[in-house]
Amino acid sequence: MAAIWAGIDAGKAHHHCVAIDESGRRLLSRRVANDEPELLQLLADVLALGDEVTWGIDQADGGAALVITILLNHVQPVHYISGRAIHRASESYRGEGKTDAKDAAVIADQVRVRRDLHPIRVTDDTVTDLKLLTGRRTDLVADRTRTVNRLRAQLTGIFPGPERALDLTNTGPLTLLTGYQTPAAVRRIGAKRLETWLRNRHVVRPDRLAEIAVKAAERQRSSLPGEKLTAQLVHTLAREVMGLNQQVAELDKAIEARFRDHHTFDVITSMPGLGVILGAEFLAATGGDMTAFGTADRLAGFGGVAPVPRDSGKISGNVRRPQRYNRRLQRVFYTSALFSIRHSEDSRRFYDRKRSEGKRHTQAVLALARRRVNVLWALLRDERYYEPTPPKALAA
């Protein structure tokens, strides 16, 4: 018996598995339902082909969650290979057709010849929960952004003054729009009564908000077409945004409570610019296990903040931005670097130095993010907190 490599082209209802030997010869090709008994039988059949099996798969969650869990529970090495990598690799294999069987065979062969694929490891319950919670938060924030944009569009059609002057993501302006959406309605109630109405609903600085609304209403005496129906839509959309704000706030509390259960919480949040939400997203994207990346350079590459060389012939030193990286992790690195410029003198000095060297704003922030990856890597490796000045080495 010899080593076996098995590739799984994962789907929602069915997977296709191809197993090959060290020469690339197919030993098994089977379509199986995404059902535990069938997957266990597939595992047994593949294990019967050789002494050691290495698995590859093109999804790391979703429809592949069951088969991955089964493989990891049976102490099987599983490697992830992205769909884009499979598509590019398949061009070098015979035939132009695309089938699940061919994709599974490409996955198996790529796992056989490559040594740089990311291993899928068992994650603790905290990391799994944070993946779910931060994913849900991302969806809610996207929903809120779309709803706010719709609200702005509708309000501009009947009462553009408040749309320009107010932040329609805040509770105060949204509360105002649940009661009064048109210039005529605001003028009828007047500044004093509107201030009292807002104060009774616990709006912060109701006098200032009432003043802005009444001034905008006094400047617009025209009633625009469709005003009555649009006002109803504005009322509905404002309530939707308030509801989404409440859901995001509740999720933030749940994320913080779960994040605090992880042993890296204090280390990650000690880094300037990495608060609870960004820290939780970092943990969800990486699992908190730096040994899975090997080096800080690989973590930076995975997060999309490390430049990629593009040398050819006599041209050297040419670099470009990477095309393949984890988008969510890059957002964490970039956003946390922006926050650190405001709150950390070291980050501000580094950013200003890069700007003085002629780098654009985005380039300077990415350079800072890349530097911070090294620092965060070292903190997690050594299990110590961030200090503005590195500790001095002990004398020998």
Side-chain angles (χ1 to χ4, degrees), residues 200-217:
N200 291 339
R201 285 153 181 80
H202 310 290
V203 171
V204 177
R205 295 198 64 184
D207 54 339
R208 175 62 177 162
L209 183 56
E211 179 185 356
I212 293 174
V214 171
K215 281 185 177 180

Side-chain angles (χ1 to χ4, degrees), residues 218-297:
E218 291 293 343
R219 293 173 63 87
Q220 180 181 332
R221 295 283 174 171
S222 301
S223 177
L224 303 184
E227 185 176 82
K228 184 176 181 180
L229 179 57
T230 304
Q232 296 175 3
L233 296 175
V234 168
H235 167 85
T236 301
L237 290 170
R239 286 202 171 277
E240 287 182 11
V241 176
M242 292 177 68
L244 289 168
N245 282 342
Q246 181 63 30
Q247 292 183 61
V248 171
E250 292 173 356
L251 260 182
D252 287 348
K253 293 179 181 178
I255 289 172
E256 180 174 2
R258 202 69 183 100
F259 187 20
R260 286 183 179 276
D261 292 338
H262 202 268
H263 66 278
T264 63
F265 173 81
D266 291 329
V267 175
I268 293 175
T269 54
S270 70
M271 187 84 174
L274 267 180
V276 171
I277 301 303
L278 289 177
E281 290 184 356
F282 168 80
L283 190 61
T286 64
D289 183 8
M290 297 297 99
T291 61
F293 298 94
T295 65
D297 292 339

